[in-house]
């Protein structure tokens, strides 16, 4: 526990995949859990949206004495409100889920926030090992249970992966008694989003799974082996300019930039 | 005579001390939460409750009931007469002779108490309880000798001062136990607290042959939910704990204790006493809690105080989560103590306040909240099981004679076989039936037993609101747990949806159909059959006959297990226990299957999908497990 670090977890209203009902979002719950394990009750948990939503009590039931709600309607954009809130608060660490379970669910919020604040973004965090001297050692979640340890300078934004510690059980009583600090904010209506028409997603046709492996050993290998990139190239001794050029060429080739 | 004043003084002093102890003890109970009790009516009803209801339970052990009548009855009579003859000095030979007679009766009873204590069964507590028969015998002998002069058998002043002094010492010893011990925490405490417990019982409906098994709703929205410290119990619950006579009948029937899980109902109640009276459990002289791996936990380390959180040092939460809520202990308790209420009260604190439901508990509760079923299936798939059943759905027909409450068995393929069999029978009997379809929700049973009364109440209210839109005369369900909730627990939420509606278990309903001649069945010829009473059907709702009558109607002579009817052993599936899954030495379902096998039956008939799942989970070879609906559907005469 490092109570002297200012940590903020951002939470949204989740949506149960089976019932479609509001719930504590899976990844946001993990963001709160990670925040609680870092700084305990000193954690600030922020929600942008309606302050009456009962799901907020589910987050509070994880043992939060209070929560901050930046109150605005569903049609408003969360980004400007959060940016100004964080600029005023200046926390060291901001934790979010990778993507929300409702709304646009684009997963862009942490990136846009990082851009607006000019902070580094650490995507898909599994664990924050320790925070010391303005530096944090963070474990990133990679596919197949692999982890990568990175050093990042405070302040930073991290999105929390499903590999992080599962959110603890929510308790009814503390959730009910927690204080909600409701702040009225200058909301900006998301003009683009209100034009959109939402409709239920149709299940995409699934590609047939052709099992190529002939033996159990092959299947085991296929399930556990590291993916071997075919066209990859490791550049270690080149100059930074050469490395940047290689990246730029790749982006051109993949038509990411034109 | 120089010491003549001594015996009456001793009696008087001990009476006063007992009075002081009584006030002190009553104040310990009064530290609990207030609960409305009709004090006067309770006290008036107490003798009948004692002589009829309590005696009815004690009588299951004939030896003990006779012993207790003689000892207890003799003592109460003798004590009253002692006050008149020896304290007030009433000169009456009739009274003295009556006192002698009472003492003889008591002496005979005490001899049998002493005999039981020669080689006591393990369920009995030892320690101070081993001293009790000696005190009883000393009391009867001492006062017998003391009364002889008053009855005119011996001359006044017989034996001189020496006898008086000897008798005085014996009075101090025996009457100390009987009066002082009664209110200051000795074994005789059970008489004092027990009598008041009967008078102020929290479930007075249980007396006079009634039944009260539904849990009381938790008050939501306060500073604490459930019971965190002893003073959070109702005052009459604390009184109830104090009434325990440590006979260990609960221990003998507890499935969790037998499975070596860390629960012993008797120890639990004694720990509750330690809790509100303060101190440690070092004086406890009965069987300890098992440790879950074949041994026992140490006694003497549990520390309690009336304002101390119970699960911090007095009771390990695993003890509370081991209970299957089968109510065997409550059924067996001669003092009519409510163990299950207390356990669920404390579970409520762990779940609603601590957010600490073990193992799959948190996940199951979250699923119930988000999808209205414990496994997180889509609520829109609730009626998939009935795709080929052509059943009416209430949303379309609005009314029917019978509402079939399907329960969460709808999601489980094994339970679906029971549901389909029952539908087959309903159709054969041409019953006007409808289901709620996707509008049905979990009954809330599991959430409530896991301590989440907030979720239970929310489910109950929403289910009631749904049902209030439709008209029906009867609800029938194949799930005894849902049956219990609907029948006994949904009434607390101020809805009129179930007014005038009869809630029935499917065995009761089918039995009526057969008696009305609406089902034609062939005789069964599949070998020996035994029947397992589900706790929530039998002990919770008193339905022991309908399933047996149904089996009899097929020509089946049930080979009863030793533990059947009100003494049926739990399958291990109740109370959310398969979810919290506290380790034990053995599985409860295995022990129940051993009971089944010992009857030599080839099939065990059940009336509960949970019992079916638990018993079928026992490794083969074992007898076949079938719900009664399945057996009946198999014997249905083909109509042409």
């Amino acid at each position: 526990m490092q109570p002297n670090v200012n940590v903020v977890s951002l939470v949204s209203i989740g949506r149960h995949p089976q019932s479609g009902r509001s719930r504590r979002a899976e990844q946001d719950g993990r963001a709160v859990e990670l925040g609680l394990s870092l700084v305990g009750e000193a954690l600030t948990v922020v929600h942008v949206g309606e302050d009456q939503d009962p799901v907020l009590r589910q987050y509070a039931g994880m043992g939060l004495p209070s929560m901050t709600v930046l109150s605005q309607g569903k049609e408003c954009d969360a980004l400007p409100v959060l940016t100004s809130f964080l600029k005023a608060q200046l926390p060291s660490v901001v934790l979010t889920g990778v993507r929300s379970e409702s709304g646009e669910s684009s997963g862009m919020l942490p990136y846009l926030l990082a851009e607006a604040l000019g902070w580094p973004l650490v995507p898909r965090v599994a664990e924050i090992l320790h925070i010391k001297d303005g530096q944090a050692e963070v474990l990133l979640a990679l596919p197949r249970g692999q982890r990568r340890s990175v050093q990042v300078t405070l302040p930073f934004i991290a999105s929390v992966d499903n590999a992080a510690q599962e959110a603890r059980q929510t308790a009814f009583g503390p959730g009910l008694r927690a204080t909600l600090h409701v702040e009225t904010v200058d909301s900006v209506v998301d003009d683009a989003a209100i034009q959109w028409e939402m409709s239920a997603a149709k299940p995409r046709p699934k590609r047939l799974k052709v099992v190529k492996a002939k033996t159990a050993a092959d299947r085991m290998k296929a399930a556990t082996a590291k993916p071997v990139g075919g066209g990859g190239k490791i550049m270690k001794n080149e100059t930074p300019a050469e490395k940047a050029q290689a990246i730029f060429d790749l982006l051109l080739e993949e038509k990411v930039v034109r | 005579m120089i010491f003549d004043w001594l015996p009456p003084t001793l009696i008087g002093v001990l009476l006063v001390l007992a009075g002081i102890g009584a006030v002190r003890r009553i104040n310990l109970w009064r530290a609990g939460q207030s609960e409305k009790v009709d004090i006067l009516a309770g006290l008036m009803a107490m003798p009948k409750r004692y002589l009829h209801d309590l005696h009815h339970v004690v009588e299951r052990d004939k030896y003990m009931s006779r012993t207790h009548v003689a000892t207890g009855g003799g003592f109460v009579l003798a004590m009253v007469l002692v006050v008149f003859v020896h304290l007030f000095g009433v000169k009456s030979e009739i009274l003295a002779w009556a006192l002698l007679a009472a003492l003889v009766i008591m002496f005979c009873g005490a001899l049998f108490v002493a005999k039981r204590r020669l080689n006591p069964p393990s369920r009995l507590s030892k320690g101070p309880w081993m001293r009790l028969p000696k005190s009883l015998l000393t009391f009867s002998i001492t006062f017998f000798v003391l009364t002889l002069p008053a009855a005119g058998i011996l001359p006044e002043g017989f034996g001189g001062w020496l006898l008086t002094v000897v008798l005085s010492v014996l009075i101090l010893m025996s009457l100390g136990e009987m009066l002082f011990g009664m209110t200051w925490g000795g074994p005789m405490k059970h008489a004092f607290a027990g009598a008041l417990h009967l008078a102020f019982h929290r479930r007075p409906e249980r007396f006079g042959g009634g039944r009260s098994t539904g849990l009381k709703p938790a008050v939501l929205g306060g500073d604490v939910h459930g019971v965190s410290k002893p003073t959070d119990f109702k005052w009459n619950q604390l009184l109830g704990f104090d009434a325990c006579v440590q006979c260990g009948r609960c221990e003998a029937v507890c499935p969790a204790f037998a499975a070596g899980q860390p629960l012993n109902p008797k120890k639990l109640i004694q720990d509750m006493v330690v809790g509100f009276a303060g101190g440690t459990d070092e004086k406890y002289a009965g069987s300890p809690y098992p440790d879950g791996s074949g041994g026992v936990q140490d006694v003497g380390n549990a520390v309690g105080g009336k304002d101390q959180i119970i699960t911090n040092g007095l009771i390990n939460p695993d003890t509370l989560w081991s209970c299957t809520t089968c109510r065997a202990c409550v059924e067996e308790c001669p003092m009519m103590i409510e163990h299950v209420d207390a356990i669920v009260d404390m579970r409520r604190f762990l779940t609603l306040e601590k957010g600490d439901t073990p193992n799959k508990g948190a996940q199951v509760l979250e699923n119930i909240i988000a999808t209205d079923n414990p496994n997180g299936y889509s609520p829109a798939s609730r009626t998939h099981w009935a795709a080929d059943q052509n059943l009416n759905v209430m949303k379309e027909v609005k009314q029917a004679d019978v509402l079939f409450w399907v329960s969460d068995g709808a999601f489980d393929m094994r339970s679906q076989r029971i549901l389909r069999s029952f539908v087959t029978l309903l159709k054969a009997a041409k019953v006007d039936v409808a289901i709620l379809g996707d509008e049905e929700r979990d009954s809330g049973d599991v959430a409530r037993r896991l301590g989440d009364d907030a979720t239970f109440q929310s489910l109950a209210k929403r289910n009631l609101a749904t049902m209030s839109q439709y008209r029906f005369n009867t609800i029938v369900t194949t799930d005894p747990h849902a049956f219990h909730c609907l029948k006994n627990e949904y009434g607390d939420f101020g809805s009129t949806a179930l007014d005038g509606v009869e809630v029935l278990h499917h065995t009761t309903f089918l039995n009526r159909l057969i008696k009305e001649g609406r089902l034609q069945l062939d005789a069964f010829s599949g070998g020996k059959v035994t029947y397992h009473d589900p706790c929530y059907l039998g002990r919770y709702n008193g339905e022991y006959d309908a399933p047996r009558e149904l089996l009899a109607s097929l020509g089946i002579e049930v080979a009863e297990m030793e533990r059947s009817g009100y003494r049926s052993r739990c399958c291990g599936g109740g109370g959310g226990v398969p979810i919290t899954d506290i380790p034990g030495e053995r599985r409860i379902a295995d022990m129940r299957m051993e009971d089944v096998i010992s009857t030599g039956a080839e099939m065990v008939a059940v009336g509960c999908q949970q019992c079916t799942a638990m018993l079928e989970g026992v490794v083969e070879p074992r007898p076949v497990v079938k719900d009664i609906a399945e057996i009946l559907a198999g014997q249905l005469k083909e109509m042409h």
Side-chain angles (χ1 to χ4, degrees), chain B residues 348-615:
Chain B
R348 283 176 182 169
F349 171 71
L350 291 173
T351 295
L352 293 177
E353 289 295 335
K354 307 278 279 185
D356 204 4
T357 321
N359 284 322
K360 292 285 173 195
Q363 198 187 328
V364 164
L365 291 175
E366 208 157 294
N367 284 337
I368 294 176
I369 291 168
T371 63
D372 299 332
N373 68 77
N375 291 309
Y377 295 115
S378 165
S381 66
R382 188 175 274 277
T383 326
H384 285 184
W385 72 275
D388 56 348
Q389 298 293 305
N390 198 19
L391 275 169
N392 285 335
V393 180
M394 274 295 184
K395 206 173 188 172
E396 288 154 17
V397 296
K398 304 290 178 196
Q399 59 175 320
D401 181 31
V402 174
L403 170 64
F404 173 26
W405 186 273
V406 176
S407 84
D408 290 332
F411 295 106
D412 173 59
M413 286 169 75
R414 175 63 183 91
S415 307
Q416 287 169 8
R417 272 157 52 196
I418 302 173
L419 298 175
R420 288 204 190 90
S421 303
F422 183 56
V423 171
T424 310
L425 294 165
L426 289 175
K427 286 194 174 152
K430 301 196 171 53
V431 176
D432 173 23
V433 62
I435 57 173
L436 287 175
D438 290 347
E439 287 188 298
E440 192 183 301
R441 297 171 186 86
D442 180 271
S443 63
D445 168 72
V446 170
R448 181 164 245 202
R449 302 323 126 178
L450 287 178
D452 191 348
D453 222 45
T455 301
F456 168 78
Q457 293 185 17
S458 150
L459 284 167
K461 284 172 189 163
R462 284 182 287 147
N463 276 325
L464 286 165
T466 305
M467 287 189 283
S468 67
Q469 301 168 36
Y470 308 122
R471 292 226 316 262
F472 45 90
N473 304 316
T474 311
I475 302 183
V476 180
T477 177
T478 52
D479 176 9
H481 295 262
F483 171 53
H484 168 67
C485 288
L486 286 163
K487 188 177 171 207
N488 304 319
E489 297 188 340
Y490 272 29
D492 292 325
F493 303 104
S495 167
T496 54
L498 296 180
D499 285 358
V501 172
E502 198 178 15
V503 186
L504 294 176
H505 186 242
H506 71 303
T507 53
T508 318
F509 186 73
L510 289 170
N511 197 29
R512 283 192 196 170
L513 292 181
I514 287 191
K515 281 187 176 161
E516 289 165 12
R518 290 167 71 182
L519 281 174
Q520 302 300 317
L521 301 168
D522 289 324
F524 178 83
S525 55
K528 209 170 183 182
V529 176
T530 186
Y531 171 66
H532 163 76
D533 287 275
C535 310
Y536 277 73
L537 182 61
R539 274 188 294 271
Y540 273 80
N541 286 292
E543 184 57 279
Y544 305 110
D545 298 333
R548 291 182 167 79
E549 286 174 22
L550 277 174
L551 293 172
S553 73
L554 294 175
I556 294 172
E557 205 175 306
V558 176
E560 292 287 0
M561 287 180 264
E562 193 186 318
R563 287 185 60 176
S564 65
Y566 71 85
R567 273 203 170 133
S568 172
R569 195 208 295 261
C570 179
C571 69
V577 156
I579 297 160
T580 54
D581 200 21
I582 302 302
E585 205 186 340
R586 299 196 284 164
R587 290 179 69 248
I588 296 174
D590 289 348
M591 297 189 298
R592 190 53 173 162
M593 194 47 91
E594 280 165 26
D595 293 350
V596 172
I597 290 168
S598 68
T599 63
E602 289 156 48
M603 180 175 15
V604 50
V606 233
C608 170
Q609 62 212 22
Q610 192 74 23
C611 297
T612 311
M614 293 307 291
L615 294 175

Side-chain angles (χ1 to χ4, degrees), chain B residues 117 178 182 203 214 289 318-319 324 407 412 446 497 554 563:
Chain B
R117 288 281 160 183
M178 305 306 288
M182 188 178 283
R203 296 177 179 273
Y289 294 127
D318 281 359
T319 296
T324 66
S407 84
D412 173 59
V446 170
L554 294 175
R563 287 185 60 176

Side-chain angles (χ1 to χ4, degrees), chain B residues 105-120:
Chain B
I105 295 171
M106 181 182 169
F107 180 78
C108 295
L111 280 180
F112 285 99
V113 180
K115 186 172 166 241
R116 163 74 49 122
R117 288 281 160 183
L118 282 181
N119 194 9

Side-chain angles (χ1 to χ4, degrees), chain B residues 94-387:
Chain B
I94 300 172
L95 282 188
W97 276 100
L99 175 52
L100 289 181
L103 288 165
V104 169
I105 295 171
M106 181 182 169
F107 180 78
C108 295
L111 280 180
F112 285 99
V113 180
K115 186 172 166 241
R116 163 74 49 122
R117 288 281 160 183
L118 282 181
N119 194 9
S122 68
R123 65 179 169 85
L124 289 178
S125 287
K126 316 294 185 303
W129 295 87
M130 298 305 279
R131 183 182 80 204
L132 187 59
K134 291 168 203 150
S135 306
L136 292 168
L137 289 170
T138 314
F139 177 90
S140 45
I141 294 169
T142 308
F143 280 93
F144 192 84
V145 176
L146 194 67
T147 311
L148 286 177
I153 298 172
L154 288 176
E156 285 291 333
F158 176 83
W161 64 269
L162 185 66
L163 183 64
T164 315
V165 169
V166 169
L167 286 179
S168 296
V169 170
L170 292 175
I171 287 173
L172 195 62
M173 281 164 57
S174 61
L175 206 56
E177 174 88 279
M178 305 306 288
L179 289 183
F180 183 75
M182 188 178 283
T183 58
W184 289 83
M188 282 308 290
K189 185 187 71 181
H190 78 272
F192 170 59
L196 293 180
H197 166 61
L198 288 181
F200 309 136
H201 200 283
R202 197 165 173 233
R203 296 177 179 273
E205 306 86 358
R206 283 186 66 194
F207 301 106
R211 194 173 296 279
S212 167
T213 53
L215 292 174
K216 313 263 181 198
V219 181
L220 302 178
D223 281 341
V224 70
H225 294 87
V227 166
S228 67
K229 41 194 202 293
T231 47
D232 290 336
F233 282 113
K234 304 288 180 199
W235 69 270
N236 49 358
Q237 283 181 288
L238 297 180
L239 165 58
F241 302 144
D242 230 5
C244 175
V245 63
Q246 301 198 34
C247 66
R249 287 193 192 188
C250 49
E251 171 188 321
V253 294
C254 177
F257 180 78
Q261 288 173 288
L263 171 64
N264 175 352
K266 179 173 87 173
K267 171 84 163 72
L268 180 94
I269 297 300
Q270 286 315 305
D271 283 350
M272 295 291 101
V273 175
V274 168
F276 74 79
T280 73
D281 66 340
E282 63 190 351
K283 292 206 187 85
Y284 175 73
S287 320
Y289 294 127
D291 65 359
S293 54
V296 293
Q297 294 179 11
D298 291 337
V299 171
N301 303 325
V303 186
K306 72 183 169 76
D307 289 318
Q308 184 200 310
I309 291 180
I310 293 172
T311 43
N312 277 359
L314 183 59
I315 285 186
N316 188 318
D318 281 359
T319 296
L320 304 175
W321 296 114
S322 296
C323 173
T324 66
T325 67
C326 75
R327 247 184 120 76
C329 49
V330 183
E331 180 74 37
E332 206 66 16
C333 179
M335 279 297 187
M336 309 188 116
I337 295 168
E338 297 282 344
H339 310 66
V340 176
D341 283 0
I343 288 173
V344 175
D345 280 344
M346 290 184 277
R347 283 185 181 184
R348 283 176 182 169
F349 171 71
L350 291 173
T351 295
L352 293 177
E353 289 295 335
K354 307 278 279 185
D356 204 4
T357 321
N359 284 322
K360 292 285 173 195
Q363 198 187 328
V364 164
L365 291 175
E366 208 157 294
N367 284 337
I368 294 176
I369 291 168
T371 63
D372 299 332
N373 68 77
N375 291 309
Y377 295 115
S378 165
S381 66
R382 188 175 274 277
T383 326
H384 285 184
W385 72 275

